[in-house]
Amino acid sequence: MMIASAVRNLSRRSFSTSKSVSAQQLTVRDALNAALDEEMERDEKVFLLGEEVAQYDGAYKVSRGLWKKYGDKRVIDTPITEMGFAGIAVGAAMAGLRPVCEFMTFNFSMQAIDHVINSAAKTFYMSAGTVNVPIVFRGPNGAAAGVAAQHSQCFGAWYSHCPGLKVVSPYDSEDAKGLLKAAIRDPDPVVVLENEMVYGVSYPVSDQVLDKNFVLPIGKAKIMRPGKHITIVAHSKSVETAMQAANELAGKGIEAEVINLRSLRPLDSETIFKSVQKTHHLVTVEQGWPQGGIGSEICARIMEHETFFHLDAPIWRVTGADVPMPYAKTLEAAALPQVPDVVTAVNKVLGVK
C-alpha cells in the first residue's frame, strides 16, 4: 500500500502544470545568442562586430556559432581599439546597415564614448531627422567578480543621461532576448547593458519567449512580484537582490511589490507611480554609485509628480558604495547592495524594528 501511494504521489508531481515546473529553462547567454541569430537571419543588414566575437565565439560565448553560420562579412573580429570599431559601426549604421557593436565590457566603452554620444546619439537631431543611426551597443555592464575598479562600473546612469539614446538593462532570459531583438530592430541607437554574472544562469521561459517573433517593448517595466506594503524598484542583477529581499520580508508579513525597470531610457515612470500610489512607500536598488544614479532620477520624478503626496515616508535608495570597486572579495561584497541592505531599508521606511 505504501509503495502504491508513493507511486500515485510521484505521478501527480510529474504531471504538475504550475508555471515554474512546466516552463522551459534558458540561460541568458543562450537567450542573447538566439536573439542575435534570429535577427541576423531575419535581416541581412544586421551584422556583429567586436573583439573575439567571430572565430573565438565571443569572450563570453554569446556569439557562439554565428561566425560559422554567417561568415566573415557579418561576424567581424576587430582589433583591441574601441574608438576604431565603434566609429566603423556608427558609419555603417549611417549608411543603412544595422550593426551590433559589442564591447567586451562597458568600462571599455569609455574609449569610444565620443562615437556613442556625439556621432550616434546626436545625428538624428542634428540632421533634422534625415539620418537615422540604427545601431546597438551591447556587452556586460556593472560589477562582475574579482576584476576591481576598472572593470566593475555601472554605466546605466551615464548613458541614460543622454538624449538620442535608448538604454535597456535586462535581468533574466526573457528580458535579454526580447530587449535585444527590440534594440536591433529600433531605428535609433540603443545601449544594451547586460550583466556578466547572469550569463550562465538559467531562467524559466514560456513558449512565447522562444518564438522567433517575441519582442519586448522598450520603455516598459515589468512587475516581478505584486505587493501592497512597499514598492522596490531595481534593474539588472539588482532585481535578483530585490526579489530575494521580498521573499525574506514576506516571511515577516511584509508584501513588497518588485518592479524590474528593464528600460532606463525611456524610464517607465507610470508603472512606478501607480505602484507607489498603491503601496505609499518606495525603495530603489541599484549597483551603481549613489550620486546622480537611477534611484536619484526616480526620486526626482516622484517629487515632481502628484505621487509625492501619496508617500507615507521618505524614499530610500540602496546603491553601490561611493568608492571605486575594491579588489578584495570581502570589500567587493561590502561595496555592492546585499539582501540585508534592502531588508534594512524597507524596515526603516516602514518604521519596523
Side-chain angles (χ1 to χ4, degrees):
M1 290 293 291
M2 289 178 66
I3 294 174
S5 175
V7 169
R8 281 196 299 273
N9 290 335
L10 186 63
S11 298
R12 286 195 204 102
R13 286 200 296 271
S14 65
F15 286 105
S16 171
T17 56
S18 70
K19 289 183 179 179
S20 60
V21 176
S22 62
Q24 301 171 71
Q25 297 288 317
L26 183 69
T27 65
V28 171
R29 176 183 291 110
D30 289 340
L32 293 166
N33 180 267
L36 288 167
D37 188 15
E38 289 168 12
E39 293 306 302
M40 291 178 76
E41 189 176 76
R42 176 179 175 269
D43 186 350
E44 63 181 13
K45 293 180 180 178
V46 177
F47 72 98
L48 173 67
L49 79 166
E51 296 153 357
E52 299 183 342
V53 299
Q55 296 186 40
Y56 189 65
D57 279 341
Y60 306 97
K61 306 307 174 190
V62 168
S63 55
R64 184 178 57 239
L66 298 181
W67 175 67
K68 290 179 180 177
K69 183 173 181 179
Y70 296 104
D72 290 323
K73 289 188 176 181
R74 298 188 64 197
V75 185
I76 303 167
D77 278 330
T78 67
I80 304 173
T81 168
E82 282 76 15
M83 181 180 287
F85 67 75
I88 291 170
V90 172
M94 289 177 176
L97 297 179
R98 290 184 171 271
V100 178
C101 178
E102 177 180 310
F103 295 122
M104 195 177 289
T105 157
F106 262 93
N107 298 271
F108 303 155
S109 74
M110 292 292 94
Q111 301 290 329
I113 198 165
D114 181 48
H115 289 305
V116 178
I117 306 301
N118 283 326
S119 300
K122 297 178 182 177
T123 293
F124 184 70
Y125 174 83
M126 293 178 71
S127 68
T130 60
V131 180
N132 285 94
V133 188
I135 187 171
V136 174
F137 300 101
R138 56 154 294 271
N141 169 70
V147 290
Q150 293 175 331
H151 296 73
S152 302
Q153 190 173 329
C154 176
F155 289 91
W158 287 59
Y159 285 116
S160 64
H161 179 66
C162 304
L165 289 180
K166 295 181 177 120
V167 183
V168 297
S169 182
Y171 160 55
D172 57 15
S173 302
E174 178 181 317
D175 292 359
K177 186 179 182 190
L179 291 172
L180 181 53
K181 286 172 72 74
I184 293 171
R185 296 184 187 190
D186 201 275
D188 298 306
V190 184
V191 173
V192 181
L193 301 172
E194 302 156 12
N195 189 285
E196 178 186 340
M197 300 304 291
V198 299
Y199 277 156
V201 179
S202 293
Y203 294 94
V205 293
S206 63
D207 290 336
Q208 181 186 9
V209 174
L210 297 174
D211 189 274
K212 288 187 177 183
N213 295 316
F214 176 74
V215 179
L216 287 173
I218 293 174
K220 184 63 181 171
K222 178 185 180 182
I223 296 176
M224 302 290 288
R225 176 191 180 113
K228 60 184 179 180
H229 297 127
I230 191 164
T231 300
I232 304 176
V233 179
H235 71 95
S236 189
K237 197 171 186 298
S238 292
V239 175
E240 176 184 294
T241 309
M243 290 292 285
Q244 291 172 350
N247 288 337
E248 185 174 322
L249 290 163
K252 302 173 184 176
I254 298 171
E255 292 298 329
E257 182 151 292
V258 178
I259 296 176
N260 171 9
L261 285 175
R262 284 183 166 172
S263 177
L264 304 182
R265 186 183 183 101
L267 189 69
D268 186 2
S269 300
E270 283 305 313
T271 294
I272 300 170
F273 293 159
K274 287 178 182 177
S275 179
V276 174
Q277 287 172 19
K278 177 179 68 173
T279 66
H280 310 293
H281 301 90
L282 175 62
V283 167
T284 66
V285 188
E286 62 188 305
Q287 290 191 343
W289 293 318
Q291 182 164 321
I294 301 301
S296 301
E297 176 65 21
I298 292 170
C299 289
R301 294 196 186 192
I302 294 281
M303 289 283 289
E304 295 165 356
H305 190 264
E306 64 171 334
T307 302
F308 172 75
F309 299 104
H310 292 263
L311 287 171
D312 288 343
I315 302 169
W316 198 284
R317 293 177 299 154
V318 180
T319 71
D322 196 21
V323 295
M325 180 62 71
Y327 175 70
K329 189 173 184 180
T330 51
L331 293 177
E332 181 183 71
L336 292 170
Q338 306 296 335
V339 172
D341 300 324
V342 180
V343 172
T344 299
V346 168
N347 287 337
K348 286 183 177 179
V349 170
L350 293 177
V352 176
K353 294 183 179 179

